[in-house]
Amino acid sequence: MTAPTAPRAAVEHSPVLVDHAKLRAALTDLFAGHGIPAARARLAADALCHGDLTGLDSHGLFNLGRLYLPLLASGRCDPRAEPRTLTDLGACTVVDARRALGLWAAAEAMDDAVARAGRHGVGLVSVRGATHFGCAGFHAARAAESGMIGVVASNCGGQRIARPPGGALAMLGTNPLSVAAPALDGHPFLLDMSTTVAPTGKVRVAARRGAPVPAGWLEDTAGEPVTDPSAFDRGEAFLRWLGGSAETGVHKGYGLGIAVELLAAVVSGAALGPAPAALEGDGRPHGSDDDIGFFLLAIAPEVLRPGADVAGTTRSLFGTLVDCPPLREGEPVRYPGWWEAELAAERRRDGIPLPPHLYEELTALGLLDGTGGGR
């Protein structure tokens, strides 16, 4: 199945630049207006803007009207929820988020993990009862900002999107995984990935733009490549796991997806994707992303190895990588997170480019003033 010709209305024109600070302030006011306490509203705004700052537009403002505002309006997310500690063993804890907005709840949980790691060398916060948290990398990076290694994983609660290799029914979510650490100045290491080839957001962004997706992202019921992104929401196409096929290592992505389910849901007690209800599906995506589980781990090497020059070691590690001679002139070797840091610095300075349809949507919500700037 190939992508149809993009309709004229779907073709994107020049983006509109929006000042980051003004956008962040407007988002903070919007979340606060829905009943989220001020400090947490600012944290949620930061988490949401992270996607657009770093080029992960599928996990940024694109999701405000599509995902987060409906969560709040429907009551599936409680704006005034106060997470409750269920178990506290010092270095690790289990928390019930009680339907709090994941954008701030995951960030607070990582900050708690960092504090625990500062005392014990490691800090683990396992969360259940959560809602969608945006970019996993935003939360992992909070550990890196404190000089630690951060690991974040999340399942999709009871939502089932991807089929096991060779399976006829959707069983698992995109199950993102992120690892962050200090690296070279201003350029932390930041791996942020779904365990499927692409997250659903990227597929939907392509559909909104009327553009095809790469042949390896989606497949039909027979396993043949699909490039029409709108086929996904029609239930005619399915996400592939990292690795793509049996010949190229699909078991690796599938295995990582299961590993995330174990870490995020089994440890915390959150809803499982591969639950008996999954067997009642008709093959298409089904279930809902309620009762999501988070796994947030902070590791403090300098606490575990007092006196060791951990910072020097990581600078050497990443410095050696970027010093690797490139195969092609003008294409230097870098590591995950480098280009995202460069892009974020540029967009903080020059503004965040928003596609016209999204700019109009945000203007209609009262977030923007309709002249290219924040409210």
Side-chain angles (χ1 to χ4, degrees):
M1 183 186 297
T2 57
T5 302
R8 184 179 301 274
V11 176
E12 297 291 354
H13 299 287
S14 299
V16 182
L17 285 178
V18 176
D19 180 78
H20 167 250
K22 292 181 178 179
L23 181 59
R24 176 180 179 267
L27 281 169
T28 299
D29 289 346
L30 178 68
F31 285 131
H34 279 79
I36 297 174
R40 288 170 168 171
R42 284 192 294 273
L43 197 50
D46 282 340
L48 194 59
C49 284
H50 173 85
D52 299 278
L53 280 172
T54 58
L56 298 173
D57 54 350
S58 61
H59 282 59
L61 290 159
F62 174 75
N63 279 334
L64 179 64
R66 190 190 69 81
L67 175 61
Y68 296 111
L69 294 183
L71 272 176
L72 289 163
S74 68
R76 290 172 58 203
C77 174
D78 180 358
R80 296 193 177 278
E82 191 62 48
R84 180 171 57 203
T85 298
L86 304 176
T87 305
D88 191 336
L89 301 177
C92 52
T93 184
V94 177
V95 174
D96 183 351
R98 303 172 76 186
R99 295 184 292 113
L101 184 64
L103 291 169
W104 68 256
E108 281 196 2
M110 177 52 88
D111 291 348
D112 185 13
V114 166
R116 292 169 187 272
R119 298 190 296 270
H120 304 285
V122 294
L124 168 64
V125 180
S126 181
V127 182
R128 71 190 191 211
T131 63
H132 196 281
F133 67 7
C135 296
F138 173 81
H139 309 293
R142 299 178 77 79
E145 290 164 5
S146 295
M148 300 182 188
I149 298 169
V151 182
V152 173
S154 172
N155 83 332
C156 293
Q159 186 179 54
R160 302 164 187 104
I161 294 170
R163 304 179 300 175
L169 301 177
M171 292 276 172
L172 290 155
T174 54
N175 289 17
L177 174 67
S178 179
V179 181
L184 301 184
D185 290 346
H187 296 80
F189 169 76
L190 183 54
L191 172 69
D192 188 351
M193 53 176 270
S194 62
T195 49
T196 50
V197 173
T200 57
K202 285 194 173 183
V203 175
R204 289 177 173 130
V205 166
R208 179 62 183 80
R209 292 173 175 167
V213 296
W217 284 20
L218 300 170
E219 64 184 20
D220 62 18
T221 55
E224 295 300 315
V226 174
T227 59
D228 176 8
S230 61
F232 175 76
D233 276 331
R234 293 199 304 266
E236 299 169 1
F238 309 88
L239 285 171
R240 284 181 165 177
W241 295 101
L242 285 173
S245 67
E247 294 74 21
T248 54
V250 69
H251 61 283
K252 296 178 182 178
Y254 175 50
L256 281 172
I258 296 173
V260 167
E261 198 77 26
L262 289 168
L263 293 172
V266 173
V267 174
S268 69
L272 290 170
L279 300 175
E280 300 170 3
D282 60 2
R284 294 177 295 181
H286 63 112
S288 65
D289 55 345
D290 294 304
D291 193 11
I292 291 173
F294 301 155
F295 174 91
L296 303 111
L297 175 68
I299 305 168
E302 292 178 343
V303 176
L304 296 170
R305 294 199 294 134
D309 183 14
V310 176
T313 300
T314 55
R315 281 196 300 271
S316 175
L317 186 164
F318 291 103
T320 301
L321 287 171
V322 301
D323 286 342
C324 178
L327 278 174
R328 287 173 286 275
E329 187 71 25
E331 297 181 17
V333 174
R334 294 294 183 259
Y335 52 82
W338 177 282
W339 296 117
E340 290 84 350
E342 292 278 297
L343 186 60
E346 174 187 315
R347 290 184 171 183
R348 283 193 177 94
R349 182 188 68 239
D350 301 333
I352 294 175
L354 299 179
H357 75 85
L358 183 55
Y359 179 79
E360 292 168 5
E361 178 184 320
L362 299 180
T363 299
L365 287 171
L367 277 172
L368 305 175
D369 61 13
T371 64
R375 185 177 56 176

